[in-house]
Amino acid sequence: MRRSVRLLDKRAILVCLIAGLVAGALGIIGGRATALSLARADLDGYTATLLARAESIVRETVDVLARANQIKGVPCGPSDLRHLRIIAFKARHIKDVGRIVEQKLACSSLLGVLSPPYIQLPPDMVTADGRKVWANAPLVLTNEIALVVEGRNANVVINPAAYVDLIQKPFRYSLAIVNPAKGFALLSRGARLVDDSFIVARKDVSINTGGDLVRIDCSMAYSVCAVAALNRGEAVSPHSVSVLGFGALGFILGGFSSLIGFLLHLKPKPLAVRLRDALRSNQLSMVFQPIVDLHSGRMVSAEALIRWTDRDGCAIPPDVFVSAAEDNGTAGEITEYVLRHVSRIAGPLLRDNPELVITVNIVAADLSDPSFYGILEQTFDGSGIARHQIGLELTERSVAQPDVAVAAIARLRALGHPVYLDDFGTGYSGLAQLQDLNVDVLKLDRAFTNSVGTGSVTVSIVPQILEMATALGLRVVVEGIETDTQYSYFASAPNHCYGQGWAISRPHAYEALLAFKAAH
Ligand code: C2E
Ligand code: MG
Ligand code: MG
């Protein structure tokens, strides 16, 4: 529950949002690039269509001029005029076909006979094969301007609307007639979209000029080029849905991947690593559980038990993190923390009550760690706390290596510390091994205590254990006394037992221990 609250904390949301926005922006950039390349493909297609139309007009012009030059009878006579009209009628892109007599327009399919003949302005260009070209000639009949091409004794007026059906917003276009010999381009339609030098080079190119995408396509057969342009902004807008789609996708992917990153970041670190942090940042504390003389009810000692509440407020059971620390080789740090803590917190109580004992749980690694003995010395020598007031509890697991354990127990006892064999009965040490270990106190595991009053087989060996303990001169502390029945059973045992358990007191903070001591 707390973890999910953490997942949603502001930091996570902010990181996901920022990553989402960055990825969204990248998505939009990517989307824009895709939109531009789609627009460029559209532009290429459009330019190719324009050029195809221009080529078909030139082809028709050449053909019409050839036929119009086959004069039928007298130039501009009735049969010639009829001939010109039939040619014009059949043409697709040509508006008028005229007869040139002595460099003047004498008649045309549309105008009939001109009297006097029309004197033409000098042409804008003369092609290599001698055709004259007027790119924007004013028409005699209307105010329109049109492309006029003259060859020998005939001319043609290209329909000014020859490209109307190809106008397609937002594309802009122009058509150029190139004079490669003179190195210039004559614009027959549209505005100047690109520098002439690009057209004169007569290469098919895609270029970016200013805010435009420009495409130039030149004919292989004729000296014409089609140029089309598209504003970049307008190029992207038809694809804005895909641009936004890319952006949204980027946002979602960015947010999602950072959420994953966050979750990975939140993935719990190994317990032993978190414990190191806990030791340095005050997440650990101590509680004390009283141990009483079951005959008199007097408190004789108390067991110090460590507690860890992590940053998320979760209490981690000591047996779990102590064994993780043992595996990781850092359990000695816990022992040091507990010894120093006990000396500081319980010092006054111990100094005031010289017979009172506080027991501390230690681990196997402590026994063979020279610094452990140094810490005992530093912590208690000169502290006013007698060594016999600090009992050391070792589980049966800790004494699995008898060579090390026997020597260490002897050394600790020599220093004055009473040694307790914790959780007795759960491990490997049989009654026979007890003698070799030579401890002071045997803590009977609560599994035996639980079996009292149940008729279980376990209970049947309890008297045997108690008897053996007496024989070895060991004191017995009965663990896990939870009921009055259990209390009475051990209180009336032939041995003089001490006891610990919820029926007496739960482990509590130090202040509660003081209160318990005062009452018992
Ligand atoms: P332990 O040394 O056998 O400690 C007794 C455990 O039994 C404690 O659990 C205590 O709270 C619990 N207990 C006491 N009376 C009763 C009862 O009547 N009924 C039941 N069901 N439980 C009772 P805790 O504090 O959770 O500690 C568990 C184990 O963690 C300890 O077993 C000890 O092995 C280890 N441990 C605790 N504190 C430390 C420490 O400071 N250092 C080391 N090395 N180990 C520690
Ligand atoms: Mg213990
Ligand atoms: Mg125990």
Side-chain angles (χ1 to χ4, degrees):
M1 181 64 192
R2 291 190 70 93
R3 173 158 298 276
S4 62
V5 170
R6 237 184 107 180
L7 283 181
L8 291 175
D9 77 12
K10 286 181 188 157
R11 198 160 49 105
I13 293 170
L14 196 71
V15 169
C16 294
L17 209 65
I18 292 171
L21 286 175
V22 170
L26 290 176
I28 285 177
I29 292 169
R32 214 181 132 79
T34 310
L36 278 175
S37 78
L38 288 173
R40 200 178 282 287
D42 290 349
L43 184 68
D44 290 356
Y46 181 64
T47 320
T49 310
L50 284 173
L51 183 66
R53 173 66 55 87
E55 285 183 318
S56 110
I57 291 171
V58 176
R59 209 175 299 118
E60 188 169 61
T61 302
V62 171
D63 178 50
V64 165
L65 285 176
R67 281 194 282 137
N69 273 309
Q70 293 163 6
I71 305 169
K72 304 278 177 190
V74 182
C76 288
S79 54
D80 187 36
L81 213 48
R82 191 167 170 270
H83 172 59
L84 295 180
R85 281 181 176 140
I86 290 170
I87 295 171
F89 182 76
K90 286 185 178 169
R92 236 178 114 202
H93 304 296
I94 284 162
K95 198 88 181 169
D96 196 10
V97 183
R99 173 69 64 219
I100 305 295
V101 178
E102 295 172 355
Q103 319 269 328
K104 293 174 203 153
L105 179 66
C107 65
S108 84
S109 62
L110 261 182
L111 303 170
V113 178
L114 289 161
S115 180
Y118 183 75
I119 302 168
Q120 303 182 102
L121 296 168
D124 297 318
M125 187 177 115
V126 179
T127 63
D129 44 11
R131 291 194 187 96
K132 295 174 185 166
V133 178
W134 290 263
N136 298 294
L139 298 183
V140 177
L141 198 61
T142 64
N143 287 331
E144 283 178 290
I145 51 166
L147 173 67
V148 176
V149 182
E150 182 187 303
R152 289 175 37 222
N153 299 313
N155 77 0
V156 292
V157 176
I158 314 295
N159 187 352
Y163 295 92
V164 162
D165 62 310
L166 295 185
I167 293 171
Q168 193 181 316
K169 287 210 163 161
F171 297 116
R172 288 166 288 137
Y173 76 93
S174 67
L175 289 153
I177 301 161
V178 186
N179 188 336
K182 299 237 167 101
F184 74 89
L186 201 60
L187 280 197
S188 75
R189 186 141 301 274
R192 193 164 301 277
L193 299 171
V194 74
D195 194 85
D196 269 6
S197 56
F198 288 108
I199 303 171
V200 173
R202 297 197 72 242
K203 279 192 190 138
D204 295 348
V205 281
S206 295
I207 45 179
N208 293 331
T209 61
D212 282 341
L213 302 177
V214 181
R215 171 75 191 175
I216 304 170
D217 264 9
C218 291
S219 167
M220 306 273 279
Y222 311 107
S223 298
V224 287
C225 295
V227 183
L230 185 60
N231 180 274
R232 292 170 75 91
E234 287 175 325
V236 174
S237 65
H239 305 283
S240 52
V241 173
S242 43
V243 173
L244 287 177
F246 271 100
L249 193 69
F251 182 81
I252 292 166
L253 287 178
F256 186 67
S257 51
S258 36
L259 189 66
I260 298 276
F262 222 85
L263 288 174
L264 290 176
H265 171 73
L266 288 178
K267 205 179 101 186
K269 293 179 189 142
L271 202 57
V273 176
R274 286 164 60 205
L275 180 62
R276 270 248 156 90
D277 174 45
L279 278 160
R280 282 163 190 65
S281 58
N282 233 4
Q283 294 170 34
L284 301 176
S285 61
M286 299 303 304
V287 291
F288 297 86
Q289 187 176 30
I291 296 170
V292 298
D293 178 332
L294 293 178
H295 278 176
S296 64
R298 190 175 55 92
M299 181 179 130
V300 290
S301 61
E303 181 175 6
L305 296 162
I306 197 163
R307 292 289 175 263
W308 176 15
T309 304
D310 73 6
R311 290 182 194 278
D312 291 339
C314 294
I316 299 161
D319 36 3
V320 172
F321 69 81
V322 168
S323 74
E326 278 191 88
D327 295 344
N328 190 252
T330 54
E333 292 182 44
I334 297 178
T335 303
E336 182 178 352
Y337 170 87
V338 175
L339 290 172
R340 294 197 192 283
H341 201 88
V342 164
S343 160
R344 191 161 46 83
I345 297 278
L349 177 71
L350 291 169
R351 281 188 284 270
D352 291 349
N353 298 277
E355 292 310 310
L356 192 67
V357 173
I358 299 279
T359 61
V360 166
N361 293 281
I362 60 171
V363 296
D366 292 325
L367 299 180
S368 49
D369 178 6
S371 70
F372 168 63
Y373 300 92
I375 290 162
L376 282 174
E377 195 181 310
Q378 281 169 24
T379 311
F380 298 108
D381 284 3
S383 68
I385 301 168
R387 294 290 193 115
H388 75 263
Q389 293 185 279
I390 302 298
L392 300 170
E393 295 195 11
L394 276 161
T395 58
E396 283 190 71
R397 200 159 62 93
S398 309
V399 296
Q401 278 183 292
D403 300 350
V404 180
V406 169
I409 290 168
R411 183 172 174 186
L412 291 170
R413 292 187 74 208
L415 289 168
H417 296 285
V419 176
Y420 292 56
L421 189 58
D422 204 353
D423 302 343
F424 179 75
T426 55
Y428 326 93
S429 56
L431 289 170
Q433 224 182 333
L434 260 182
Q435 199 164 5
D436 301 335
L437 287 172
N438 202 15
V439 295
D440 297 281
V441 184
L442 191 151
K443 292 190 80 173
L444 189 67
D445 190 75
R446 71 166 178 269
F448 296 103
T449 316
N450 278 341
S451 64
V452 168
T454 63
S456 141
V457 282
T458 336
V459 76
S460 62
I461 67 162
V462 170
Q464 222 183 318
I465 295 172
L466 295 180
E467 205 178 300
M468 181 74 167
T470 311
L472 291 172
L474 299 174
R475 182 161 293 288
V476 174
V477 173
V478 181
E479 292 190 277
I481 299 177
E482 293 179 357
T483 65
D484 291 345
T485 313
Q486 292 162 357
Y487 191 109
S488 311
Y489 178 89
F490 289 104
S492 55
N495 306 50
H496 192 150
C497 291
Y498 292 170
Q500 174 184 6
W502 296 346
I504 300 157
S505 169
R506 295 225 175 203
H508 285 301
Y510 177 67
E511 293 68 29
L513 181 73
L514 293 181
F516 186 92
K517 169 82 179 85
H520 301 78

